[in-house]
């Protein structure tokens, strides 16, 4: 028990370092997020709860791979001075859907793995109803953003060659699909975990569902469109909290807080014994 608390505390401390680096746009320690997820993975693997050990371990392993892949690059100060740029091939920019998938696939995969493991016996009316309401709110936010952007684009059509209102609307619609899937899947997981009496883990899954909202605005922001299109309905965009010189990334920092806290609560809730432990099949 003490070792488990030590791992969770160390993971929370590393997560705090990572969030501070995101907030100031200057990583305090490049590997803070990697170590935080790694410690949570270690906590899952040493857990005495066989019903959640391997599912939780697999989910966190996926998140760890992405954390390693997105480790901040160390600052390189050797390239200061004059630089000459010549003509050359332009790198192909990823589509909005590809960008959205690159942001959402780790959390979405982790949530789906846990949902497969905990879906049996967890569906009850008193726990499913809040999940349905939450899913309706997330879908409603996506719909409001799409309608607002379409109205703005119709009023001010894009002037880029080869683009029209239909193409832009389709691009925005596909960009919101991955975060929308994440939000709905995370709410389904929260309902299933609550049905098993895993309320702490259920609150972590709920935080991962909330993560879909800022990710949705980020993915929409990758679609080229008129500057003010739909900005009045972008509640979770990067400019929702005014950046400052000392804190240039407040919204990304809050997004990191929600994500890492969600994983921490999932691990803390799934690595403890429960009165309804026997309700989950041993194969999960």
């Amino acid at each position: 028990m003490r070792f488990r608390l030590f791992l969770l505390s160390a993971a929370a401390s590393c997560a705090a370092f990572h969030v501070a680096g995101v907030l100031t746009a200057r990583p305090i320690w490049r590997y803070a997020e990697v170590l935080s997820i790694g410690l949570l993975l270690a906590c899952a693997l040493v857990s005495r709860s066989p019903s959640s050990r391997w599912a939780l371990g697999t989910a966190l392993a996926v998140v760890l791979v992405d954390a390693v892949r997105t480790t901040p690059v160390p600052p390189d100060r050797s390239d200061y001075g004059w630089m000459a740029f010549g003509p050359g091939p332009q790198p192909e920019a990823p589509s909005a859907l590809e960008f959205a998938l690159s942001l959402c696939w780790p959390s979405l995969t982790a949530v789906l793995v846990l949902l497969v493991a905990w879906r049996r016996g967890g569906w009850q009316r008193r726990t499913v109803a809040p999940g349905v309401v939450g899913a309706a709110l997330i879908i409603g936010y996506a719909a409001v953003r799409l309608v607002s952007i379409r109205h703005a684009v119709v009023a001010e059509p894009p002037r880029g060659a080869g683009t029209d209102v239909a193409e832009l609307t389709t691009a925005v619609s596909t960009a919101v699909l991955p975060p929308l899937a994440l939000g709905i899947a995370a709410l389904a997981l929260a309902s299933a975990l609550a049905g098993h009496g895993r309320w702490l883990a259920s609150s972590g899954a709920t935080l991962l569902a909330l993560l879909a909202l800022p990710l949705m605005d980020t993915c929409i922001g990758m679609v080229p469109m008129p500057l003010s299109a739909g900005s009045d309905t972008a509640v979770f965009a990067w400019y929702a909290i005014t950046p400052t010189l000392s804190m240039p990334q407040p919204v990304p920092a809050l997004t990191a807080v929600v994500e890492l806290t969600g994983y921490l609560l999932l691990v803390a809730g799934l690595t403890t014994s429960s009165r309804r432990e026997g309700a989950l099949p041993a194969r999960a």
Side-chain angles (χ1 to χ4, degrees):
M1 179 63 70
R2 292 182 179 179
F3 185 59
R4 170 180 168 275
L5 291 178
F6 169 77
L7 291 175
L8 292 175
S9 300
S13 300
C14 292
F17 281 114
H18 173 69
V19 170
V22 173
L23 179 63
T24 59
R26 295 179 180 179
I28 298 176
W29 185 34
R30 291 177 55 206
Y31 302 102
E33 182 184 21
V34 174
L35 184 56
S36 178
I37 301 299
L39 289 169
L40 293 179
L41 176 58
C43 183
L45 294 180
V46 301
S47 169
R48 295 182 179 179
S49 177
S51 61
S52 61
R53 178 186 302 169
W54 298 114
L56 184 59
T58 302
L60 290 173
V62 173
V63 179
L64 180 62
V65 169
D66 184 70
V68 172
R69 184 182 65 87
T70 58
T71 301
V73 178
D76 185 6
R77 300 181 180 179
S78 62
D79 55 356
Y80 283 104
W82 292 98
M83 300 181 66
F85 294 92
Q90 295 294 329
E92 183 179 355
S95 67
L97 178 60
E98 293 172 341
F99 178 78
L101 287 173
S102 69
L103 283 183
C104 300
W105 76 266
S107 300
L108 179 58
T109 303
V111 166
L112 290 177
V113 168
L114 292 174
L115 182 59
V116 170
W118 289 88
R119 71 188 187 282
R120 298 181 181 178
W123 306 113
Q124 301 178 15
R125 181 178 301 179
R126 64 186 180 88
T127 59
V128 171
V132 172
V133 173
L137 293 176
I138 293 178
I139 295 173
Y141 181 72
V144 169
R145 293 285 283 126
L146 291 175
V147 171
S148 174
I149 289 172
R150 179 173 176 79
H151 286 172
V153 171
V154 169
E156 185 181 352
R159 297 180 176 85
T163 59
D164 57 21
V165 175
E167 292 179 355
L168 196 149
T169 304
T170 301
V172 175
S173 300
T174 55
V176 303
L177 290 180
L180 190 61
L182 171 61
I184 295 175
L187 287 173
L189 175 62
S191 299
L193 291 174
H196 285 287
R198 300 283 184 169
W199 295 102
L200 187 61
S202 178
S203 63
T206 303
L207 287 180
L208 293 182
L210 293 177
L211 180 66
L213 298 176
L215 289 180
M216 193 178 298
D217 282 340
T218 300
C219 296
I220 292 175
M222 286 297 296
V223 180
M225 67 180 73
L227 183 61
S228 60
S231 60
D232 54 338
T233 58
V235 181
F236 304 95
W238 65 270
Y239 51 81
I241 300 177
T242 305
T244 64
L245 291 177
S246 59
M247 296 184 298
Q249 300 185 129
V251 172
L254 286 176
T255 304
V257 168
V258 171
E259 180 180 15
L260 294 176
T261 304
Y263 293 136
L264 185 65
L265 291 178
L266 275 172
V267 174
L270 293 179
T271 54
T272 56
S273 60
S274 173
R275 295 178 180 178
R276 302 187 60 184
E277 185 75 25
L280 187 66
R283 290 184 179 181

